[in-house]
PDB file of all heavy atoms in Angstrom:
ATOM      1  N   ASN V   1     116.132-160.222 -95.925  1.00  0.00           N
ATOM      2  CA  ASN V   1     115.336-159.876 -97.128  1.00  0.00           C
ATOM      3  C   ASN V   1     114.526-161.104 -97.560  1.00  0.00           C
ATOM      4  O   ASN V   1     115.051-162.200 -97.689  1.00  0.00           O
ATOM      5  CB  ASN V   1     116.243-159.439 -98.247  1.00  0.00           C
ATOM      6  CG  ASN V   1     116.645-157.991 -98.148  1.00  0.00           C
ATOM      7  OD1 ASN V   1     117.791-157.685 -97.778  1.00  0.00           O
ATOM      8  ND2 ASN V   1     115.748-157.094 -98.446  1.00  0.00           N
ATOM      9  N   LYS V   2     113.229-160.906 -97.753  1.00  0.00           N
ATOM     10  CA  LYS V   2     112.338-162.026 -98.043  1.00  0.00           C
ATOM     11  C   LYS V   2     112.200-162.301 -99.548  1.00  0.00           C
ATOM     12  O   LYS V   2     111.805-163.372 -99.940  1.00  0.00           O
ATOM     13  CB  LYS V   2     110.972-161.734 -97.428  1.00  0.00           C
ATOM     14  CG  LYS V   2     111.023-161.664 -95.894  1.00  0.00           C
ATOM     15  CD  LYS V   2     109.654-161.337 -95.338  1.00  0.00           C
ATOM     16  CE  LYS V   2     109.647-161.402 -93.798  1.00  0.00           C
ATOM     17  NZ  LYS V   2     110.555-160.413 -93.226  1.00  0.00           N
ATOM     18  N   LYS V   3     112.424-161.269-100.363  1.00  0.00           N
ATOM     19  CA  LYS V   3     112.251-161.443-101.819  1.00  0.00           C
ATOM     20  C   LYS V   3     113.596-161.181-102.506  1.00  0.00           C
ATOM     21  O   LYS V   3     113.984-159.982-102.665  1.00  0.00           O
ATOM     22  CB  LYS V   3     111.165-160.507-102.342  1.00  0.00           C
ATOM     23  CG  LYS V   3     109.785-160.784-101.753  1.00  0.00           C
ATOM     24  CD  LYS V   3     108.767-159.772-102.327  1.00  0.00           C
ATOM     25  CE  LYS V   3     107.372-159.998-101.745  1.00  0.00           C
ATOM     26  NZ  LYS V   3     106.385-159.032-102.279  1.00  0.00           N
ATOM     27  N   VAL V   4     114.279-162.203-102.892  1.00  0.00           N
ATOM     28  CA  VAL V   4     115.606-162.070-103.520  1.00  0.00           C
ATOM     29  C   VAL V   4     115.631-162.936-104.784  1.00  0.00           C
ATOM     30  O   VAL V   4     115.387-164.139-104.747  1.00  0.00           O
ATOM     31  CB  VAL V   4     116.737-162.516-102.581  1.00  0.00           C
ATOM     32  CG1 VAL V   4     118.108-162.307-103.219  1.00  0.00           C
ATOM     33  CG2 VAL V   4     116.645-161.799-101.235  1.00  0.00           C
ATOM     34  N   LEU V   5     115.925-162.280-105.907  1.00  0.00           N
ATOM     35  CA  LEU V   5     116.090-162.962-107.184  1.00  0.00           C
ATOM     36  C   LEU V   5     117.534-162.991-107.555  1.00  0.00           C
ATOM     37  O   LEU V   5     118.141-161.932-107.732  1.00  0.00           O
ATOM     38  CB  LEU V   5     115.258-162.245-108.254  1.00  0.00           C
ATOM     39  CG  LEU V   5     115.330-162.839-109.676  1.00  0.00           C
ATOM     40  CD1 LEU V   5     114.635-164.219-109.713  1.00  0.00           C
ATOM     41  CD2 LEU V   5     114.674-161.919-110.697  1.00  0.00           C
ATOM     42  N   HIS V   6     118.115-164.163-107.671  1.00  0.00           N
ATOM     43  CA  HIS V   6     119.550-164.306-108.016  1.00  0.00           C
ATOM     44  C   HIS V   6     119.679-164.453-109.547  1.00  0.00           C
ATOM     45  O   HIS V   6     119.263-165.457-110.140  1.00  0.00           O
ATOM     46  CB  HIS V   6     120.128-165.533-107.346  1.00  0.00           C
ATOM     47  CG  HIS V   6     120.313-165.350-105.875  1.00  0.00           C
ATOM     48  ND1 HIS V   6     121.526-164.904-105.337  1.00  0.00           N
ATOM     49  CD2 HIS V   6     119.451-165.542-104.812  1.00  0.00           C
ATOM     50  CE1 HIS V   6     121.408-164.847-104.003  1.00  0.00           C
ATOM     51  NE2 HIS V   6     120.166-165.214-103.671  1.00  0.00           N
ATOM     52  N   LEU V   7     120.293-163.476-110.158  1.00  0.00           N
ATOM     53  CA  LEU V   7     120.482-163.526-111.624  1.00  0.00           C
ATOM     54  C   LEU V   7     121.546-164.515-112.041  1.00  0.00           C
ATOM     55  O   LEU V   7     121.437-165.180-113.053  1.00  0.00           O
ATOM     56  CB  LEU V   7     120.867-162.151-112.173  1.00  0.00           C
ATOM     57  CG  LEU V   7     119.766-161.099-112.278  1.00  0.00           C
ATOM     58  CD1 LEU V   7     120.350-159.824-112.870  1.00  0.00           C
ATOM     59  CD2 LEU V   7     118.591-161.579-113.145  1.00  0.00           C
ATOM     60  N   HIS V   8     122.583-164.627-111.233  1.00  0.00           N
ATOM     61  CA  HIS V   8     123.742-165.445-111.626  1.00  0.00           C
ATOM     62  C   HIS V   8     123.908-166.744-110.868  1.00  0.00           C
ATOM     63  O   HIS V   8     124.959-167.326-110.858  1.00  0.00           O
ATOM     64  CB  HIS V   8     125.005-164.594-111.544  1.00  0.00           C
ATOM     65  CG  HIS V   8     124.998-163.408-112.435  1.00  0.00           C
ATOM     66  ND1 HIS V   8     125.755-162.291-112.218  1.00  0.00           N
ATOM     67  CD2 HIS V   8     124.330-163.165-113.602  1.00  0.00           C
ATOM     68  CE1 HIS V   8     125.564-161.415-113.205  1.00  0.00           C
ATOM     69  NE2 HIS V   8     124.665-161.924-114.013  1.00  0.00           N
ATOM     70  N   GLY V   9     122.818-167.155-110.219  1.00  0.00           N
ATOM     71  CA  GLY V   9     122.845-168.451-109.520  1.00  0.00           C
ATOM     72  C   GLY V   9     123.149-168.262-108.061  1.00  0.00           C
ATOM     73  O   GLY V   9     123.159-167.126-107.531  1.00  0.00           O
ATOM     74  N   GLU V  10     123.309-169.383-107.381  1.00  0.00           N
ATOM     75  CA  GLU V  10     123.516-169.350-105.919  1.00  0.00           C
ATOM     76  C   GLU V  10     124.637-170.346-105.525  1.00  0.00           C
ATOM     77  O   GLU V  10     124.632-171.468-105.908  1.00  0.00           O
ATOM     78  CB  GLU V  10     122.197-169.743-105.195  1.00  0.00           C
ATOM     79  CG  GLU V  10     121.068-168.803-105.471  1.00  0.00           C
ATOM     80  CD  GLU V  10     119.774-169.170-104.758  1.00  0.00           C
ATOM     81  OE1 GLU V  10     119.815-169.259-103.513  1.00  0.00           O
ATOM     82  OE2 GLU V  10     118.793-169.443-105.452  1.00  0.00           O
ATOM     83  N   LEU V  11     125.535-169.756-104.733  1.00  0.00           N
ATOM     84  CA  LEU V  11     126.729-170.560-104.353  1.00  0.00           C
ATOM     85  C   LEU V  11     126.406-171.806-103.543  1.00  0.00           C
ATOM     86  O   LEU V  11     127.092-172.805-103.666  1.00  0.00           O
ATOM     87  CB  LEU V  11     127.651-169.623-103.573  1.00  0.00           C
ATOM     88  CG  LEU V  11     129.031-170.148-103.195  1.00  0.00           C
ATOM     89  CD1 LEU V  11     129.842-170.599-104.412  1.00  0.00           C
ATOM     90  CD2 LEU V  11     129.833-169.091-102.441  1.00  0.00           C
ATOM     91  N   ASN V  12     125.369-171.738-102.744  1.00  0.00           N
ATOM     92  CA  ASN V  12     125.034-172.866-101.868  1.00  0.00           C
ATOM     93  C   ASN V  12     124.101-173.882-102.525  1.00  0.00           C
ATOM     94  O   ASN V  12     123.473-174.668-101.837  1.00  0.00           O
ATOM     95  CB  ASN V  12     124.386-172.346-100.566  1.00  0.00           C
ATOM     96  CG  ASN V  12     125.469-171.763 -99.644  1.00  0.00           C
ATOM     97  OD1 ASN V  12     126.568-172.194 -99.603  1.00  0.00           O
ATOM     98  ND2 ASN V  12     125.052-170.703 -98.921  1.00  0.00           N
ATOM     99  N   LYS V  13     124.021-173.821-103.871  1.00  0.00           N
ATOM    100  CA  LYS V  13     123.217-174.810-104.617  1.00  0.00           C
ATOM    101  C   LYS V  13     124.088-175.418-105.691  1.00  0.00           C
ATOM    102  O   LYS V  13     125.044-174.813-106.179  1.00  0.00           O
ATOM    103  CB  LYS V  13     121.987-174.172-105.193  1.00  0.00           C
ATOM    104  CG  LYS V  13     120.971-173.701-104.169  1.00  0.00           C
ATOM    105  CD  LYS V  13     119.734-173.074-104.826  1.00  0.00           C
ATOM    106  CE  LYS V  13     118.706-172.636-103.757  1.00  0.00           C
ATOM    107  NZ  LYS V  13     117.490-172.087-104.392  1.00  0.00           N
ATOM    108  N   VAL V  14     123.708-176.599-106.105  1.00  0.00           N
ATOM    109  CA  VAL V  14     124.320-177.280-107.242  1.00  0.00           C
ATOM    110  C   VAL V  14     123.254-177.793-108.140  1.00  0.00           C
ATOM    111  O   VAL V  14     122.072-177.937-107.740  1.00  0.00           O
ATOM    112  CB  VAL V  14     125.280-178.439-106.796  1.00  0.00           C
ATOM    113  CG1 VAL V  14     126.430-177.902-106.008  1.00  0.00           C
ATOM    114  CG2 VAL V  14     124.473-179.507-106.037  1.00  0.00           C
ATOM    115  N   CYS V  15     123.614-178.042-109.400  1.00  0.00           N
ATOM    116  CA  CYS V  15     122.633-178.542-110.338  1.00  0.00           C
ATOM    117  C   CYS V  15     123.279-179.655-111.177  1.00  0.00           C
ATOM    118  O   CYS V  15     124.523-179.839-111.082  1.00  0.00           O
ATOM    119  CB  CYS V  15     122.093-177.440-111.239  1.00  0.00           C
ATOM    120  SG  CYS V  15     123.338-176.641-112.263  1.00  0.00           S
ATOM    121  N   SER V  16     122.494-180.305-111.958  1.00  0.00           N
ATOM    122  CA  SER V  16     123.045-181.315-112.861  1.00  0.00           C
ATOM    123  C   SER V  16     123.697-180.680-114.061  1.00  0.00           C
ATOM    124  O   SER V  16     123.181-179.682-114.560  1.00  0.00           O
ATOM    125  CB  SER V  16     121.915-182.253-113.316  1.00  0.00           C
ATOM    126  OG  SER V  16     122.331-183.086-114.380  1.00  0.00           O
ATOM    127  N   SER V  17     124.786-181.234-114.505  1.00  0.00           N
ATOM    128  CA  SER V  17     125.451-180.671-115.702  1.00  0.00           C
ATOM    129  C   SER V  17     124.700-180.969-116.976  1.00  0.00           C
ATOM    130  O   SER V  17     125.000-180.382-118.043  1.00  0.00           O
ATOM    131  CB  SER V  17     126.846-181.235-115.799  1.00  0.00           C
ATOM    132  OG  SER V  17     126.856-182.639-115.774  1.00  0.00           O
ATOM    133  N   CYS V  18     123.669-181.847-116.899  1.00  0.00           N
ATOM    134  CA  CYS V  18     122.882-182.153-118.118  1.00  0.00           C
ATOM    135  C   CYS V  18     121.453-181.649-117.945  1.00  0.00           C
ATOM    136  O   CYS V  18     120.671-181.668-118.912  1.00  0.00           O
ATOM    137  CB  CYS V  18     122.916-183.625-118.429  1.00  0.00           C
ATOM    138  SG  CYS V  18     122.026-184.691-117.233  1.00  0.00           S
ATOM    139  N   ASP V  19     121.067-181.230-116.741  1.00  0.00           N
ATOM    140  CA  ASP V  19     119.662-180.800-116.512  1.00  0.00           C
ATOM    141  C   ASP V  19     119.662-179.752-115.420  1.00  0.00           C
ATOM    142  O   ASP V  19     119.601-180.093-114.219  1.00  0.00           O
ATOM    143  CB  ASP V  19     118.832-182.041-116.129  1.00  0.00           C
ATOM    144  CG  ASP V  19     117.355-181.641-115.838  1.00  0.00           C
ATOM    145  OD1 ASP V  19     117.008-180.485-116.129  1.00  0.00           O
ATOM    146  OD2 ASP V  19     116.602-182.518-115.363  1.00  0.00           O
ATOM    147  N   GLN V  20     119.700-178.498-115.779  1.00  0.00           N
ATOM    148  CA  GLN V  20     119.817-177.434-114.787  1.00  0.00           C
ATOM    149  C   GLN V  20     118.462-177.199-114.043  1.00  0.00           C
ATOM    150  O   GLN V  20     118.403-176.379-113.166  1.00  0.00           O
ATOM    151  CB  GLN V  20     120.338-176.140-115.387  1.00  0.00           C
ATOM    152  CG  GLN V  20     121.785-176.292-115.836  1.00  0.00           C
ATOM    153  CD  GLN V  20     122.476-174.911-116.036  1.00  0.00           C
ATOM    154  OE1 GLN V  20     122.033-173.903-115.540  1.00  0.00           O
ATOM    155  NE2 GLN V  20     123.519-174.946-116.821  1.00  0.00           N
ATOM    156  N   ASP V  21     117.448-177.946-114.403  1.00  0.00           N
ATOM    157  CA  ASP V  21     116.214-177.913-113.574  1.00  0.00           C
ATOM    158  C   ASP V  21     116.353-178.793-112.358  1.00  0.00           C
ATOM    159  O   ASP V  21     115.528-178.710-111.461  1.00  0.00           O
ATOM    160  CB  ASP V  21     114.984-178.364-114.428  1.00  0.00           C
ATOM    161  CG  ASP V  21     114.599-177.318-115.487  1.00  0.00           C
ATOM    162  OD1 ASP V  21     114.843-176.133-115.228  1.00  0.00           O
ATOM    163  OD2 ASP V  21     114.088-177.739-116.507  1.00  0.00           O
ATOM    164  N   TYR V  22     117.392-179.653-112.360  1.00  0.00           N
ATOM    165  CA  TYR V  22     117.650-180.476-111.188  1.00  0.00           C
ATOM    166  C   TYR V  22     118.605-179.705-110.276  1.00  0.00           C
ATOM    167  O   TYR V  22     119.779-179.559-110.576  1.00  0.00           O
ATOM    168  CB  TYR V  22     118.269-181.823-111.574  1.00  0.00           C
ATOM    169  CG  TYR V  22     118.566-182.716-110.379  1.00  0.00           C
ATOM    170  CD1 TYR V  22     117.569-183.422-109.754  1.00  0.00           C
ATOM    171  CD2 TYR V  22     119.868-182.768-109.862  1.00  0.00           C
ATOM    172  CE1 TYR V  22     117.834-184.214-108.642  1.00  0.00           C
ATOM    173  CE2 TYR V  22     120.159-183.536-108.734  1.00  0.00           C
ATOM    174  CZ  TYR V  22     119.141-184.301-108.164  1.00  0.00           C
ATOM    175  OH  TYR V  22     119.410-185.052-107.039  1.00  0.00           O
ATOM    176  N   ILE V  23     118.067-179.153-109.223  1.00  0.00           N
ATOM    177  CA  ILE V  23     118.810-178.266-108.319  1.00  0.00           C
ATOM    178  C   ILE V  23     118.664-178.755-106.901  1.00  0.00           C
ATOM    179  O   ILE V  23     117.557-179.099-106.466  1.00  0.00           O
ATOM    180  CB  ILE V  23     118.304-176.826-108.407  1.00  0.00           C
ATOM    181  CG1 ILE V  23     118.338-176.332-109.852  1.00  0.00           C
ATOM    182  CG2 ILE V  23     119.072-175.890-107.499  1.00  0.00           C
ATOM    183  CD1 ILE V  23     117.549-175.051-110.079  1.00  0.00           C
ATOM    184  N   ILE V  24     119.773-178.819-106.178  1.00  0.00           N
ATOM    185  CA  ILE V  24     119.703-179.178-104.756  1.00  0.00           C
ATOM    186  C   ILE V  24     120.512-178.161-103.945  1.00  0.00           C
ATOM    187  O   ILE V  24     121.474-177.612-104.454  1.00  0.00           O
ATOM    188  CB  ILE V  24     120.208-180.628-104.515  1.00  0.00           C
ATOM    189  CG1 ILE V  24     121.651-180.800-104.984  1.00  0.00           C
ATOM    190  CG2 ILE V  24     119.331-181.655-105.176  1.00  0.00           C
ATOM    191  CD1 ILE V  24     122.213-182.162-104.612  1.00  0.00           C
ATOM    192  N   SER V  25     120.102-177.978-102.719  1.00  0.00           N
ATOM    193  CA  SER V  25     120.820-177.086-101.819  1.00  0.00           C
ATOM    194  C   SER V  25     121.834-177.874-101.007  1.00  0.00           C
ATOM    195  O   SER V  25     121.554-178.956-100.535  1.00  0.00           O
ATOM    196  CB  SER V  25     119.817-176.368-100.864  1.00  0.00           C
ATOM    197  OG  SER V  25     118.903-175.596-101.589  1.00  0.00           O
ATOM    198  N   LEU V  26     123.016-177.239-100.826  1.00  0.00           N
ATOM    199  CA  LEU V  26     124.015-177.842 -99.982  1.00  0.00           C
ATOM    200  C   LEU V  26     123.840-177.403 -98.550  1.00  0.00           C
ATOM    201  O   LEU V  26     123.472-176.248 -98.295  1.00  0.00           O
ATOM    202  CB  LEU V  26     125.433-177.439-100.483  1.00  0.00           C
ATOM    203  CG  LEU V  26     125.787-177.903-101.895  1.00  0.00           C
ATOM    204  CD1 LEU V  26     127.143-177.284-102.308  1.00  0.00           C
ATOM    205  CD2 LEU V  26     125.829-179.427-102.015  1.00  0.00           C
ATOM    206  N   SER V  27     124.108-178.285 -97.618  1.00  0.00           N
ATOM    207  CA  SER V  27     123.988-177.932 -96.206  1.00  0.00           C
ATOM    208  C   SER V  27     125.356-177.545 -95.639  1.00  0.00           C
ATOM    209  O   SER V  27     126.370-177.785 -96.274  1.00  0.00           O
ATOM    210  CB  SER V  27     123.405-179.121 -95.454  1.00  0.00           C
ATOM    211  OG  SER V  27     124.345-180.174 -95.433  1.00  0.00           O
ATOM    212  N   GLU V  28     125.336-176.908 -94.492  1.00  0.00           N
ATOM    213  CA  GLU V  28     126.610-176.569 -93.853  1.00  0.00           C
ATOM    214  C   GLU V  28     127.380-177.806 -93.431  1.00  0.00           C
ATOM    215  O   GLU V  28     128.588-177.794 -93.374  1.00  0.00           O
ATOM    216  CB  GLU V  28     126.369-175.678 -92.637  1.00  0.00           C
ATOM    217  CG  GLU V  28     125.858-174.298 -93.013  1.00  0.00           C
ATOM    218  CD  GLU V  28     126.044-173.298 -91.892  1.00  0.00           C
ATOM    219  OE1 GLU V  28     126.552-173.699 -90.830  1.00  0.00           O
ATOM    220  OE2 GLU V  28     125.665-172.117 -92.099  1.00  0.00           O
ATOM    221  N   ASP V  29     126.672-178.916 -93.232  1.00  0.00           N
ATOM    222  CA  ASP V  29     127.309-180.146 -92.878  1.00  0.00           C
ATOM    223  C   ASP V  29     127.908-180.845 -94.124  1.00  0.00           C
ATOM    224  O   ASP V  29     128.853-181.648 -94.015  1.00  0.00           O
ATOM    225  CB  ASP V  29     126.352-181.126 -92.205  1.00  0.00           C
ATOM    226  CG  ASP V  29     125.831-180.651 -90.876  1.00  0.00           C
ATOM    227  OD1 ASP V  29     126.590-179.883 -90.215  1.00  0.00           O
ATOM    228  OD2 ASP V  29     124.694-180.952 -90.511  1.00  0.00           O
ATOM    229  N   GLN V  30     127.385-180.519 -95.288  1.00  0.00           N
ATOM    230  CA  GLN V  30     127.923-181.077 -96.519  1.00  0.00           C
ATOM    231  C   GLN V  30     128.022-179.957 -97.570  1.00  0.00           C
ATOM    232  O   GLN V  30     127.211-179.890 -98.549  1.00  0.00           O
ATOM    233  CB  GLN V  30     127.002-182.188 -97.048  1.00  0.00           C
ATOM    234  CG  GLN V  30     127.579-182.962 -98.225  1.00  0.00           C
ATOM    235  CD  GLN V  30     126.627-184.073 -98.674  1.00  0.00           C
ATOM    236  OE1 GLN V  30     125.497-184.165 -98.244  1.00  0.00           O
ATOM    237  NE2 GLN V  30     127.129-184.878 -99.616  1.00  0.00           N
ATOM    238  N   PRO V  31     129.021-179.087 -97.461  1.00  0.00           N
ATOM    239  CA  PRO V  31     129.103-177.931 -98.341  1.00  0.00           C
ATOM    240  C   PRO V  31     129.857-178.180 -99.646  1.00  0.00           C
ATOM    241  O   PRO V  31     130.018-177.278-100.443  1.00  0.00           O
ATOM    242  CB  PRO V  31     129.899-176.924 -97.471  1.00  0.00           C
ATOM    243  CG  PRO V  31     130.793-177.775 -96.629  1.00  0.00           C
ATOM    244  CD  PRO V  31     130.049-179.068 -96.367  1.00  0.00           C
ATOM    245  N   TYR V  32     130.292-179.437 -99.869  1.00  0.00           N
ATOM    246  CA  TYR V  32     131.137-179.711-101.019  1.00  0.00           C
ATOM    247  C   TYR V  32     130.487-180.697-101.960  1.00  0.00           C
ATOM    248  O   TYR V  32     129.630-181.517-101.565  1.00  0.00           O
ATOM    249  CB  TYR V  32     132.496-180.310-100.579  1.00  0.00           C
ATOM    250  CG  TYR V  32     133.156-179.508 -99.507  1.00  0.00           C
ATOM    251  CD1 TYR V  32     133.360-179.990 -98.228  1.00  0.00           C
ATOM    252  CD2 TYR V  32     133.681-178.204 -99.804  1.00  0.00           C
ATOM    253  CE1 TYR V  32     133.986-179.244 -97.278  1.00  0.00           C
ATOM    254  CE2 TYR V  32     134.332-177.470 -98.833  1.00  0.00           C
ATOM    255  CZ  TYR V  32     134.476-177.982 -97.590  1.00  0.00           C
ATOM    256  OH  TYR V  32     135.096-177.255 -96.599  1.00  0.00           O
ATOM    257  N   ILE V  33     130.856-180.634-103.204  1.00  0.00           N
ATOM    258  CA  ILE V  33     130.577-181.706-104.168  1.00  0.00           C
ATOM    259  C   ILE V  33     131.919-182.118-104.810  1.00  0.00           C
ATOM    260  O   ILE V  33     132.871-181.293-104.883  1.00  0.00           O
ATOM    261  CB  ILE V  33     129.569-181.300-105.245  1.00  0.00           C
ATOM    262  CG1 ILE V  33     129.992-179.993-105.948  1.00  0.00           C
ATOM    263  CG2 ILE V  33     128.186-181.212-104.702  1.00  0.00           C
ATOM    264  CD1 ILE V  33     129.140-179.639-107.141  1.00  0.00           C
ATOM    265  N   GLN V  34     131.974-183.356-105.232  1.00  0.00           N
ATOM    266  CA  GLN V  34     133.217-183.873-105.796  1.00  0.00           C
ATOM    267  C   GLN V  34     132.935-184.560-107.112  1.00  0.00           C
ATOM    268  O   GLN V  34     131.793-184.803-107.488  1.00  0.00           O
ATOM    269  CB  GLN V  34     133.880-184.874-104.781  1.00  0.00           C
ATOM    270  CG  GLN V  34     134.142-184.276-103.435  1.00  0.00           C
ATOM    271  CD  GLN V  34     134.609-185.331-102.443  1.00  0.00           C
ATOM    272  OE1 GLN V  34     134.480-186.551-102.707  1.00  0.00           O
ATOM    273  NE2 GLN V  34     135.191-184.909-101.346  1.00  0.00           N
ATOM    274  N   LEU V  35     133.982-184.827-107.825  1.00  0.00           N
ATOM    275  CA  LEU V  35     133.829-185.613-109.041  1.00  0.00           C
ATOM    276  C   LEU V  35     133.252-186.977-108.642  1.00  0.00           C
ATOM    277  O   LEU V  35     133.707-187.610-107.698  1.00  0.00           O
ATOM    278  CB  LEU V  35     135.184-185.839-109.743  1.00  0.00           C
ATOM    279  CG  LEU V  35     135.718-184.651-110.537  1.00  0.00           C
ATOM    280  CD1 LEU V  35     137.063-184.988-111.161  1.00  0.00           C
ATOM    281  CD2 LEU V  35     134.706-184.185-111.594  1.00  0.00           C
ATOM    282  N   GLY V  36     132.240-187.370-109.356  1.00  0.00           N
ATOM    283  CA  GLY V  36     131.553-188.652-109.022  1.00  0.00           C
ATOM    284  C   GLY V  36     130.232-188.458-108.328  1.00  0.00           C
ATOM    285  O   GLY V  36     129.435-189.406-108.183  1.00  0.00           O
ATOM    286  N   ASP V  37     129.958-187.216-107.893  1.00  0.00           N
ATOM    287  CA  ASP V  37     128.635-186.878-107.310  1.00  0.00           C
ATOM    288  C   ASP V  37     127.688-186.609-108.488  1.00  0.00           C
ATOM    289  O   ASP V  37     127.865-185.617-109.232  1.00  0.00           O
ATOM    290  CB  ASP V  37     128.705-185.653-106.439  1.00  0.00           C
ATOM    291  CG  ASP V  37     129.490-185.962-105.149  1.00  0.00           C
ATOM    292  OD1 ASP V  37     129.633-187.141-104.783  1.00  0.00           O
ATOM    293  OD2 ASP V  37     129.996-184.996-104.524  1.00  0.00           O
TER     294      ASP V  37
END
């Protein structure tokens, strides 16, 4: 599917806890985030 709008976010992305406009995609090589990231 080429046109997908996610209402509740995306599991393979993370954002800043103070700025949700800062969004990055996680790769299969680095699927985790930890405290301190």
Side-chain angles (χ1 to χ4, degrees):
N1 279 105
K2 296 178 175 63
K3 298 179 181 179
V4 183
L5 178 68
H6 288 267
L7 284 181
H8 296 157
E10 297 181 60
L11 187 56
N12 286 325
K13 293 182 179 180
V14 296
C15 63
S16 168
S17 55
C18 69
D19 179 10
Q20 292 198 21
D21 288 331
Y22 179 79
I23 303 167
I24 59 175
S25 298
L26 298 174
S27 67
E28 291 198 0
D29 295 332
Q30 188 180 7
Y32 309 112
I33 52 172
Q34 302 174 345
L35 284 180
D37 291 339

